[in-house]
C-alpha cells in the first residue's frame, strides 16, 4: 500500500510543514506520563487536564514555545528522613507538549485536587474572499512561441 503524503497531494499546496509537524508530534508522544484529557468545552474552547498528583504549583512550569504549549514538572527532593517501605507514587520529572494551531490562545491554568486544568480558546478565522485579477498575456492565439 502506498503512503500518500500531504505535500505530494495535488490539491493540498503548502502543507509540507503540517506533515513534518505530525511526524514530530508522533515521535515525541513519550511514555504517557502524566496522563491527560483534552475536552472541548464549547465550539471554540478547549481544556487540557493533566493528572499531576504530588506536584505543587511551584513544581510546575507552563510555557508557550513557538506554537507548542509545554508543561514541565519537577518535584523537589524531600530528604526529611522518611523511610519508604514501598514507593509507588511517581516522583519523577516530566515534559508534555501540545502543538497549538494558529489563533489558539492560552487562558488560565488552575490546580485543583491534583489536576492541572489549562483553558484554551480558538478565535475563528475571518472569512476572506479575494478576487485575483487576470492580466492579458503577451502571447495571442496563433502567434509563434
Amino acid at each position: 500500500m502506498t503512503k500518500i503524503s500531504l505535500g505530494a497531494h495535488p490539491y493540498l499546496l503548502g502543507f509540507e510543514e503540517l506533515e513534518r509537524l505530525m511526524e514530530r508530534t508522533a515521535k515525541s508522544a513519550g511514555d504517557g506520563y502524566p496522563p491527560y484529557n483534552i475536552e472541548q468545552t464549547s465550539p471554540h474552547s478547549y481544556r487540557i487536564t493533566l493528572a499531576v498528583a504530588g506536584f505543587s504549583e511551584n513544581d510546575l512550569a507552563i510555557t508557550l514555545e513557538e506554537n507548542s504549549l509545554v508543561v514541565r514538572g519537577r518535584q523537589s527532593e524531600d530528604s526529611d528522613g522518611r523511610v519508604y517501605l514501598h514507593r509507588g507514587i511517581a516522583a519523577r520529572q516530566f515534559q508534555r507538549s501540545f502543538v497549538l494551531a494558529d489563533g489558539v490562545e492560552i487562558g488560565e491554568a488552575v490546580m485543583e485536587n491534583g489536576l492541572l486544568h489549562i483553558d484554551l480558546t480558538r478565535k475563528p478565522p475571518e472569512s476572506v474572499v479575494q478576487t485575483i485579477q487576470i492580466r492579458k498575456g503577451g502571447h495571442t492565439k496563433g502567434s509563434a512561441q
Side-chain angles (χ1 to χ4, degrees):
M1 187 164 154
T2 305
K3 177 185 171 192
I4 298 176
S5 71
L6 292 174
H9 195 282
Y11 299 126
L12 300 174
L13 303 174
F15 284 91
E16 296 83 8
E17 183 63 29
L18 179 60
E19 187 171 15
R20 284 190 292 274
L21 179 65
M22 289 171 44
E23 289 173 2
R24 187 182 77 203
T25 303
K27 289 178 186 175
S28 68
D31 63 358
Y33 179 79
Y36 65 93
N37 292 337
I38 301 176
E39 62 181 300
Q40 186 169 7
T41 55
S42 80
H44 301 290
S45 62
Y46 309 92
R47 174 173 269 189
I48 299 172
T49 301
L50 291 99
V52 291
F55 289 86
S56 72
E57 292 87 347
N58 294 332
D59 296 331
L60 300 170
I62 304 169
T63 57
L64 182 61
E65 301 171 13
E66 295 182 16
N67 278 8
S68 291
L69 171 68
V70 180
V71 181
R72 292 180 178 89
R74 176 180 219 123
Q75 289 180 320
S76 56
E77 291 293 322
D78 35 70
S79 54
D80 57 359
R82 294 182 186 182
V83 177
Y84 292 96
L85 300 178
H86 172 76
R87 190 164 186 179
I89 299 173
R92 58 183 173 165
Q93 64 183 12
F94 69 86
Q95 177 174 312
R96 174 70 69 184
S97 298
F98 302 91
V99 179
L100 305 179
D102 291 337
V104 174
E105 296 178 354
I106 302 170
E108 69 175 348
V110 177
M111 188 82 149
E112 175 183 47
N113 299 323
L115 298 174
L116 175 63
H117 304 287
I118 304 170
D119 292 322
L120 308 168
T121 55
R122 178 177 50 94
K123 292 186 175 181
E126 295 179 17
S127 179
V128 176
V129 176
Q130 182 179 358
T131 302
I132 309 302
Q133 296 296 321
I134 302 172
R135 121 182 129 75
K136 186 174 183 177
H139 299 285
T140 58
K141 187 176 180 180
S143 66
Q145 295 184 11

